[in-house]
């Protein structure tokens, strides 16, 4: 996961592997380059610009919440798909943004001047913020422009990152869910894969091509670069690279931390989410309304749930703890006599041991309040009204807060089924109680144990009495709000529970966790710096931190376990083989059947078959969803959307023999847009090139061949 500013140092190796373009073609400050076509989509995915009119592609699961936002029972775009026939029909998507990286600059030397020997982590953080803000302020302001100085490798290096964000992004097209999410949770993280995981949006700008709030006067954005599309698609064995915003890797974790992930943290998360998913999955099978309402929630919960299961398995198969212990023994041998490094392995063991109960308490809190029953985090949103209503009234802001809460409640209850949430609460609370340690969980839970006798009765009491589980009770309270209503809300059982959980976390868990985290950051900074200094023969890159990165490898399959061979491509034949009318995860739209039987693939077929997905040996993680997969000429061949299950441990330990990312083939994307959605005008808007054609230029920048 290379920083794009460092690509010139490895350009020779990339060319040897098959890259045709240059490092300057990928990342340039002076002319349009590939970086100018790569977008941070919303807050956690990647997208790419594929036309000179601001058209962007990302994954279906990245656009899922916005597709759902525009859906209703009358216009169910999640189920049926969507395609805007004209610009005027493209759907504004409030809350969605698209961010480009303008430049990245190494400011490590400047930042290190702010730190002195013996400086504590709090003092160090304050010094870093002060100087980082000063450096950021040197960047000329402009519409949508943001400058921030970010630490890498626990603060061993620092980069100034300048970005430009567009907030008028509109939905253009999406396949039906039976294509965009084909295989559902069953196929998630698995190979072979047959999912058309894409959706399309468009960036709009002011008439002078600047970021602007939504306006009818806005026009499609003209990018500095848009990606050419390789109509011939991916070729087995060819050079491939991925450019995007990977979220988080932890390749520097010591053995004690890896053991905790395998034996404690991941199993705890898995158990909590299993309880929720059992309820949600059953509800979604019962009726179409529940399926629509819980689609995004289920996907959000299930994604991590399955990933962590694969991560535990993969780490065990690689003997990750043993591998890390061997590295630590060699570290100790090389660090002998070096006072800066020789004590750090023992310090890491001590700190991770102290942190484990607090980290477990944090995970339990997050899984219960933020990933469990929805009414808890919904009730949290009323803190200001309940606790500050007198001040709001004095400042004439009370009605505004009430209106804001009512609007939010309408959106919330649109996708809420109280009886489903009741069952989720009953399922997860016993798991929470089983793992919660004395002193790190609210004492009120013990009182509730004694008062209600069992958790089913307590859950029923909450749901039967709380205003936060009933739209009628809530709207009545908002419509007739008064100080006495505020007092009743403060005694609401849902409010009291979430307050007890939140206060306990804030008072008993977070402070100590913060102190230990500061100490651990300092130790990890020394540890990671020592690895780079003491092992100069090895290749080191900074852990992913949602900043722009590039990984390269090849289009290739794998043999992840004994007797198992993963071929690099899947085709539409596999979709039809998986079709199961009794399983909603493997339904196939009739129109896709018709196209398949007629072999009506247009110019997108390969040897009479329709490619769907492919594998490549690229290092990816969360945040790389939607990232462009490019060939050696800088042409788009696919959209990354997943890893194989055997690869989920790669956030911690990357195995080049096993680890493979999964991408939807660009030919399948074009086929669905053109032949299924009937949106040929969108394909015609793109720049399709074949291997036999002269390469297009990167906006006046000639490609090196």
């Amino acid at each position: 996961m290379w920083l794009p500013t460092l690509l010139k140092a490895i350009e020779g190796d990339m060319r040897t592997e098959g890259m045709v373009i240059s490092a300057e073609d990928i990342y340039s400050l002076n002319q349009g380059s590939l970086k100018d076509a790569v977008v941070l989509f919303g807050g956690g995915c990647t997208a790419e610009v594929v036309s000179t009119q601001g058209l962007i592609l990302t994954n279906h699961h990245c656009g899922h919440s916005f597709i759902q936002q525009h859906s209703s029972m009358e216009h169910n775009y999640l189920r049926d798909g969507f395609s805007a026939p004209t610009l005027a029909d493209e759907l504004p998507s409030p809350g969605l943004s698209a961010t480009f990286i303008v430049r990245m600059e190494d400011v490590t030397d400047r930042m290190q001047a702010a730190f002195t020997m013996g400086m504590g982590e709090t003092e160090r953080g304050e010094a870093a913020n002060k100087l980082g803000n000063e450096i950021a302020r040197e960047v000329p302001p402009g519409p949508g422009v943001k400058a921030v100085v970010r630490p890498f490798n626990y603060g061993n290096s620092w980069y100034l990152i300048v970005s430009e964000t567009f907030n008028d992004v509109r939905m253009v097209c999406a396949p039906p869910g039976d294509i965009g999410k084909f295989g559902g949770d069953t196929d998630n993280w698995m190979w072979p894969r047959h999912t058309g995981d894409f959706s399309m949006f468009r960036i709009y700008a002011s008439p002078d091509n600047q970021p602007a709030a939504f306006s009818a006067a806005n026009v499609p954005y003209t990018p500095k670069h848009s990606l050419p599309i390789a109509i011939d698609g991916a070729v087995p064995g060819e050079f491939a690279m991925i450019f995007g915003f990977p979220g988080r890797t932890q390749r520097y974790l010591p053995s004690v931390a890896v053991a905790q992930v395998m034996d404690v943290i991941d199993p705890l998360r898995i158990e909590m989410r299993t309880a929720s998913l059992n309820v949600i999955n059953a509800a979604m099978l019962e009726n179409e309304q529940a399926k629509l309402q819980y689609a995004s929630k289920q996907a959000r919960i299930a994604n991590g749930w399955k990933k962590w299961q694969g991560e535990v398995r993969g780490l065990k198969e690689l003997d990750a703890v043993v591998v890390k212990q061997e590295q630590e023994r060699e570290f100790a041998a090389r660090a002998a006599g070096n006072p800066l490094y020789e004590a750090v392995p023992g310090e890491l063991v001590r700190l991770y041991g102290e942190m484990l109960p607090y980290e477990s308490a944090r995970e339990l809190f997050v899984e219960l309040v933020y990933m469990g029953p929805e009414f808890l985090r919904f009730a949290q949103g009323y803190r200001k009204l309940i606790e500050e209503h007198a001040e709001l009234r004095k400042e004439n802001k009370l009605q505004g807060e009430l209106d804001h809460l009512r609007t939010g409640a309408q959106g919330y209850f649109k996708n809420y089924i109280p009886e489903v949430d009741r069952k989720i609460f009953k399922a997860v609370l016993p798991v929470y109680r089983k793992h919660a340690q004395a002193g790190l969980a609210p004492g009120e839970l013990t009182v509730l144990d004694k008062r209600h006798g069992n958790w089913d009765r307590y859950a029923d009491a909450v749901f039967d009495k709380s205003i936060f589980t009933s739209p009628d009770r809530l709207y009545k309270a908002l419509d007739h709000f008064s100080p006495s209503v505020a007092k009743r809300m403060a005694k609401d059982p849902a409010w009291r529970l979430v307050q007890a959980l939140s206060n306990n976390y804030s008072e008993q868990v977070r402070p100590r966790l913060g102190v230990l985290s500061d100490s651990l950051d300092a130790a990890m900074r020394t540890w990671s710096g020592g690895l780079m200094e003491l092992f100069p023969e090895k290749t080191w890159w900074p852990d992913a931190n949602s900043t722009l990165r590039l990984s390269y490898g090849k289009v290739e399959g794998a043999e992840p376990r004994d007797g198992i061979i993963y071929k690099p491509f899947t085709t539409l034949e596999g979709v039809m083989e998986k079709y199961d009318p009794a399983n909603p995860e493997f339904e196939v739209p009739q129109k896709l059947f018709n196209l398949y039987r007629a072999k009506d693939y247009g110019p997108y077929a390969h040897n009479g078959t329709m490619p769907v997905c492919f594998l490549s040996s690229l290092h990816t993680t969360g945040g790389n969803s939607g990232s462009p997969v490019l060939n050696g000429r800088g042409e788009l061949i696919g959209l990354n959307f997943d890893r194989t299950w055997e690869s989920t441990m790669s956030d911690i330990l990357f195995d080049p023999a096993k680890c493979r990312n999964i991408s939807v083939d660009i030919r399948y994307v074009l086929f669905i847009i053109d032949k299924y959605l009937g949106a040929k005008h969108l394909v015609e808007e793109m720049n399709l090139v074949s291997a036999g054609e002269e390469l297009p230029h990167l906006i006046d920048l000639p490609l090196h061949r």
Side-chain angles (χ1 to χ4, degrees), residues 117-416:
M117 290 294 294
M119 183 178 278
E121 287 302 296
T122 299
E123 188 180 3
R124 179 186 173 91
E126 292 172 352
N129 286 337
K130 180 180 179 181
L131 182 54
N133 289 336
E134 290 177 6
I135 294 172
R137 283 194 292 269
E138 296 171 3
V139 176
V145 173
K146 180 180 179 180
V148 62
V149 173
R150 295 279 302 276
F152 290 71
N153 274 355
Y154 305 94
N156 280 306
S157 56
W158 298 80
Y159 278 80
L160 168 68
I161 301 174
V162 182
S163 61
E164 184 178 44
T165 298
F166 292 78
N167 290 308
D168 186 356
V169 183
R170 307 181 192 180
M171 191 168 86
V172 176
C173 83
D178 288 341
I179 292 175
K181 203 184 175 186
F182 182 79
D185 291 327
T186 301
D187 272 7
N188 192 21
W189 302 104
M190 307 303 285
W191 186 260
R193 200 66 174 273
H194 300 86
T195 312
D197 197 349
F198 78 92
S199 57
M200 183 173 282
F201 293 76
R202 192 186 303 276
I203 302 171
Y204 280 73
S206 66
D208 59 352
N209 208 42
Q210 296 297 309
F214 171 80
S215 169
N218 287 351
V219 297
Y221 169 64
T222 302
K224 296 177 183 176
H225 177 59
S226 62
L227 297 177
I229 311 295
I231 188 64
D232 299 315
V235 177
E238 76 171 331
F239 175 90
M241 55 186 170
I242 187 168
F243 214 3
F245 294 87
R248 183 175 182 236
T249 56
Q250 298 174 285
R251 71 181 304 225
Y252 294 97
L253 286 185
S255 60
V256 61
V258 175
Q260 288 178 2
V261 169
M262 292 168 52
D263 301 333
V264 181
I265 301 300
D266 278 0
L268 183 154
R269 294 161 161 171
I270 292 165
E271 188 175 358
M272 288 286 283
R273 295 199 181 189
T274 298
S276 292
L277 287 169
N278 287 342
V279 175
I280 294 173
N281 291 341
M284 291 177 68
L285 287 173
E286 288 181 1
N287 61 73
E288 191 70 23
Q289 181 71 25
K291 184 178 179 181
L292 177 63
Q293 289 173 301
Y294 278 82
S296 289
K297 305 169 192 176
Q298 193 271 356
R300 184 177 67 248
I301 296 169
N303 192 55
W305 169 79
K306 195 166 186 178
K307 184 256 188 183
W308 293 322
Q309 294 177 65
E311 182 172 73
V312 170
R313 177 174 178 165
L315 290 172
K316 288 180 178 178
E317 289 180 349
L318 290 179
D319 286 330
V321 173
V322 173
V323 171
K324 292 286 187 175
Q325 287 172 340
E326 291 174 352
Q327 182 187 63
E328 288 155 13
R329 282 192 289 271
E330 181 63 21
F331 183 99
R334 298 189 185 194
N338 186 327
L340 179 61
Y341 298 130
E342 61 182 354
V344 72
E347 180 70 357
L348 289 172
V349 171
R350 181 185 70 80
L351 287 170
Y352 273 108
E354 287 189 36
M355 178 173 282
L356 181 58
Y358 295 94
E359 185 67 20
S360 298
R362 176 190 178 277
E363 293 300 331
L364 283 169
F365 173 73
V366 169
E367 291 300 322
L368 178 61
V369 175
Y370 294 101
M371 303 304 295
E374 294 179 271
F375 76 93
L376 290 175
R377 56 186 178 276
F378 179 61
Q380 266 192 324
Y382 284 73
R383 184 200 63 78
K384 189 174 184 179
L385 179 67
I386 295 171
E387 297 181 352
E388 302 176 20
H389 61 91
E391 290 80 0
L392 290 170
R393 190 181 298 276
K394 288 178 183 178
E395 298 173 2
N396 293 320
K397 296 180 179 179
L398 179 59
Q399 190 57 50
E401 180 68 12
L402 291 170
D403 292 343
H404 169 71
L405 291 172
R406 173 176 276 279
T407 300
Q410 290 169 346
Y412 171 75
F413 284 116
K414 173 188 174 184
N415 293 313
Y416 183 72

Side-chain angles (χ1 to χ4, degrees), residues 646-662:
E646 295 83 5
S647 308
T648 51
M649 79 300 186
S650 62
D651 290 347
I652 295 172
L653 195 62
F654 184 84
D655 180 359
K658 286 188 175 184
C659 292
R660 296 292 181 269
N661 66 302
I662 306 174

